[in-house]
Amino acid sequence: MRDPYEVLGVDRKASPSDIKTAYRRLAKKLHPDANKNDPKAATRFSELNAAHELLGDEDKRKAFDRGEIDAEGKPRFQGFGQGGFGQGGFGGAGPGAGYGADSNFESFHFGPEGFTRTTRRGRGGGAGAGGGSFGGFEDILKEAFGAAARGRGGAGSTFEQEDFGIGADVHAALTITLPEAAKGVTERLHLPTGKDVDVKIPAGITEGQQVRLKGQGMAGQAGSGDVLITISIAPHPLFKLEGNDVRLDLPITLYEAALGAKVRVPTLDKPVEITIPPWTSSGRTFRLKGKGFPAKGLHGDLLATVRITLPDKGDPELEALMKKWQADKPYDPRNDM
């Protein structure tokens, strides 16, 4: 995989906020749903997710910058230290060490119980000049794999299996409508991994929240990662969310404002009817209790603000009436301004 900084298009000194912003921008641009005719879209989006998974995690980013892990998050081998393969063989015991009759031989296995070590003695039954041949192999593993190897030292040490092959988490984005966010919905989503899943969105979810699909991410030897879906709420043509309250501009006619009327008001659920009293001015707001957005078992309110709307086309009779009214009954609504 390419350098994650290059994938996200950010500098190595970029702040966490810069990284998050770059990821969101590219996620919208590279999402497979937005590039359905591009067969490589899923691959590029998966690479973007992997880069964000590494650089978005402070510890992983520091480990990568120090050269301890590669661009895929895998540990880099750090070498065997000064003992190495030089004098004294693997154990660093000095000249004469090796595989003589008195040497010890150790074999290592990785199974359900983790790493285990078995020691076999040479023909002479002694410890040999190497003092244990591969002495401290667990320490070498710790040095090579860093924090990923959680051995406790000594023969028979175990390492958590998931640290040597757990699958990666996959990040995806999903946009829903405001009514869907309020009531909850099940959406079909095409993942960067290439498969389709049904995603259940709970009622009351908000912008930027995530839905986790356990075990649906990239597969690894020790299991699969998760899918993390970031929710976006599309702008609504009628409603505007303010906390848990929902605002709505309610157009009414000139005669409804003057004479009063019962009018139908849309909500996030189903329409309701309210009474507009006579002589209602434009800008007056009516509060509909409990018709707003849900949160923690409670609902906000719907705030409907009246907007008096004239006919689309001019009307000679209305114009004549207004001229007569202007002449006979003038008034100034701005006299206090």
Side-chain angles (χ1 to χ4, degrees):
M1 177 179 149
R2 290 187 295 151
D3 186 304
Y5 289 101
E6 179 183 343
V7 173
L8 287 169
V10 297
D11 187 81
R12 289 184 173 269
K13 296 181 180 179
S15 67
S17 177
D18 293 335
I19 290 173
K20 185 175 182 180
T21 299
Y23 169 72
R24 287 187 172 181
R25 174 176 53 81
L26 290 173
K28 293 180 180 179
K29 178 181 178 181
L30 301 179
H31 196 283
D33 286 349
N35 301 273
K36 294 182 178 180
N37 296 326
D38 186 354
K40 297 182 179 180
T43 301
R44 288 200 299 269
F45 193 67
S46 179
E47 182 182 48
L48 176 67
N49 285 325
H52 178 257
E53 176 72 18
L54 191 149
L55 297 185
D57 185 294
E58 183 178 357
D59 293 335
K60 290 181 182 179
R61 181 182 180 184
K62 289 180 179 178
F64 175 77
D65 290 343
R66 292 193 299 264
E68 296 173 0
I69 59 176
D70 62 17
E72 297 181 357
K74 297 178 180 179
R76 295 182 186 272
F77 185 66
Q78 302 294 328
F80 287 96
Q82 294 182 351
F85 293 94
Q87 292 184 349
F90 294 101
Y99 303 103
D102 293 332
S103 297
N104 291 341
F105 294 89
E106 296 178 300
S107 60
F108 299 85
H109 294 278
F110 181 74
E113 294 81 17
F115 276 102
T116 57
R117 179 178 69 178
T118 304
T119 302
R120 299 179 182 176
R121 294 190 177 276
R123 289 182 302 235
S133 186
F134 289 85
F137 189 73
E138 291 87 352
D139 294 333
I140 295 173
L141 282 175
K142 292 179 193 176
E143 180 183 350
F145 293 101
R150 298 195 179 100
R152 303 179 188 277
S157 294
T158 60
F159 298 82
E160 293 184 10
Q161 185 172 347
E162 61 267 24
D163 290 333
F164 292 88
I166 188 70
D169 289 342
V170 173
H171 291 263
L174 178 63
T175 300
I176 60 176
T177 67
L178 183 59
E180 288 174 339
K183 295 183 291 186
V185 67
T186 298
E187 291 280 354
R188 190 77 170 169
L189 179 64
H190 183 74
L191 298 177
T193 56
K195 62 181 179 181
D196 296 326
V197 296
D198 289 325
V199 184
K200 186 175 181 180
I201 308 298
I205 197 165
T206 57
E207 175 81 20
Q209 281 191 316
Q210 289 186 327
V211 175
R212 181 183 294 269
L213 303 181
K214 299 287 289 184
Q216 297 285 343
M218 300 296 289
Q221 292 180 351
S224 297
D226 301 335
V227 173
L228 299 175
I229 304 169
T230 302
I231 301 299
S232 296
I233 300 177
H236 196 277
L238 299 179
F239 304 118
K240 181 179 180 181
L241 194 61
E242 292 185 357
N244 293 333
D245 291 335
V246 176
R247 284 197 172 272
L248 166 72
D249 282 343
L250 180 64
I252 64 173
T253 65
L254 180 60
Y255 50 82
E256 286 173 333
L259 304 176
K262 291 184 179 295
V263 299
R264 196 165 175 256
V265 180
T267 74
L268 292 176
D269 187 12
K270 55 186 178 181
V272 297
E273 192 175 75
I274 67 171
T275 298
I276 303 295
W279 297 106
T280 294
S281 296
S282 188
R284 181 173 177 179
T285 298
F286 295 86
R287 181 181 293 271
L288 282 67
K289 299 288 290 184
K291 293 298 182 180
F293 197 80
K296 298 180 180 180
L298 301 175
H299 281 70
D301 301 332
L302 177 67
L303 306 176
T305 300
V306 167
R307 304 296 180 196
I308 298 174
T309 305
L310 296 176
D312 292 336
K313 297 180 180 180
D315 184 277
E317 290 185 27
L318 179 59
E319 291 176 6
L321 175 61
M322 291 298 102
K323 289 179 180 178
K324 185 175 185 304
W325 197 0
Q326 182 182 30
D328 296 344
K329 300 178 180 180
Y331 71 100
D332 185 3
R334 298 177 295 278
N335 59 359
D336 294 332
M337 296 180 67

